[in-house]
Amino acid sequence: GIFVHPVETGAALRSFQRKVAEASEELAVALKHDDQQPILNNNYGLSQIELGSYDAALNHFTRALQQKSDFHQVHYHLGYAYALKKRIDLAAPEWEQTAKLEPKFVDCHVNLGIAYYLLEKLEPAVTEFRRVLTMRHEQPEDFSNLGMAYAKQGILLRKDSKKKGDRRDIEAAAKFNLAVGQFDLAIAIKPNDVIVHSNRGLACFFCGRFEEAFEEWSKIARLDPEYAKKRGDLTHESVFDEACMIFATMDIMQ
């Protein structure tokens, strides 16, 4: 999983970066006068994230929580900083705390679900992704995320299977079928998403829906030949494309 920031280019990006740098300088001055304000430490940490100083951000988010332990936004921001440093194991507990303090914060549930997925805590991941879908139904990635969690459950069950048709193999097929259903819902919203089509095709292949799998891979070749080439011979591809697993971004200017 990665963070994808809103696209900013040229003058707009340079202007934004200048504003962040100026804000950071002003916050640093304020902290020199009073470093016991959790909101100041939080805001300075946010500016440091945007400037790429993740360790400084971690330091100030931690300081803010020492001053106000139930500051749910800071727990979220701290988790975000850990994730940027590829410490998903440390990000997840912070997002768990955020979810307890602010249970209707949908982006937190998205990120917590992806963290669980990456840590292969798949039942909790499914729970989080399903929770997101009780809050909104218009974003294709929410359905795709749940589909990916089901697919990964299927992969692990298939690995535990001793022979075709045993209990684990049957459970795996059921998970792949659930994944297909979620990918269908994502595609209904975003019909030309080649990554979701690719993952749907693989899920179909793994649960024995071979004709549908080949139809998906043929569709991908028509929609995006370069992607099809990058994925190689999709009829033999055995790895789901996790590029669709994207953490919710954080607006530091809010």
Side-chain angles (χ1 to χ4, degrees):
I2 59 172
F3 291 95
V4 175
H5 290 274
V7 176
E8 295 280 2
T9 58
L13 177 59
R14 290 192 295 273
S15 175
F16 176 75
Q17 290 173 334
R18 281 197 301 271
K19 289 178 181 179
V20 172
E22 290 169 2
S24 178
E25 291 174 4
E26 292 177 4
L27 288 164
V29 171
L31 284 167
K32 285 182 180 179
H33 288 89
D34 184 0
D35 66 355
Q36 298 304 306
Q37 292 294 324
I39 190 67
L40 286 178
N41 279 294
N42 174 67
N43 291 347
Y44 186 75
L46 289 173
S47 72
Q48 294 307 296
I49 278 185
E50 194 60 39
L51 295 172
S53 299
Y54 302 148
D55 287 334
L58 288 170
N59 180 47
H60 284 274
F61 291 146
T62 301
R63 192 176 302 172
L65 288 175
Q66 290 170 346
Q67 296 157 357
K68 183 176 171 58
S69 62
D70 62 348
F71 201 157
H72 77 269
Q73 293 99 327
V74 181
H75 282 289
Y76 181 69
H77 300 157
L78 183 56
Y80 188 95
Y82 278 133
L84 287 169
K85 287 178 66 67
K86 312 300 184 185
R87 292 303 308 270
I88 305 301
D89 57 321
L90 298 178
E94 297 302 328
W95 288 333
E96 288 170 347
Q97 189 64 23
T98 306
K100 289 178 183 177
L101 294 167
E102 189 61 33
K104 294 183 179 180
F105 185 7
V106 65
D107 282 353
C108 177
H109 293 294
V110 170
N111 286 354
L112 183 54
I114 293 175
Y116 285 147
Y117 174 91
L118 295 173
L119 295 169
E120 293 197 349
K121 297 181 178 181
L122 298 177
E123 279 299 330
V126 166
T127 297
E128 292 303 318
F129 293 143
R130 291 180 67 178
R131 184 171 287 124
V132 169
L133 290 170
T134 67
M135 300 180 184
R136 65 188 187 194
H137 293 87
E138 70 281 0
Q139 298 198 27
E141 59 268 26
D142 295 335
F143 295 103
S144 178
N145 286 343
L146 182 54
M148 289 293 286
Y150 285 140
K152 198 163 191 176
Q153 286 181 319
I155 289 171
L156 296 180
L157 285 164
R158 185 65 51 84
K159 284 181 178 178
D160 286 343
S161 172
K162 303 300 182 185
K163 62 180 180 179
K164 186 173 179 60
D166 67 9
R167 182 172 62 85
R168 290 290 189 185
D169 184 61
I170 292 170
E171 290 175 352
K175 292 294 185 182
F176 290 127
N177 271 305
L178 287 173
V180 171
Q182 295 303 313
F183 294 142
D184 283 339
L185 293 169
I187 290 169
I189 300 171
K190 193 175 180 182
N192 294 331
D193 190 323
V194 293
I195 295 177
V196 180
H197 279 293
S198 176
N199 288 334
R200 185 187 186 277
L202 190 57
C204 285
F205 188 84
F206 282 160
C207 62
R209 296 162 62 171
F210 302 121
E211 185 174 339
E212 289 181 68
F214 297 132
E215 287 176 359
E216 288 291 352
W217 294 327
S218 295
K219 186 177 297 182
I220 294 164
R222 293 195 302 272
L223 288 171
D224 191 339
E226 285 300 314
Y227 178 80
K229 182 179 179 181
K230 183 179 72 173
R231 288 284 281 168
D233 183 359
L234 294 177
T235 61
H236 295 92
E237 180 59 69
S238 61
V239 178
F240 286 91
D241 189 344
E242 294 183 339
C244 60
M245 305 292 290
I246 300 172
F247 287 109
T249 57
M250 190 170 61
D251 181 2
I252 74 162
M253 303 300 285
Q254 63 187 355

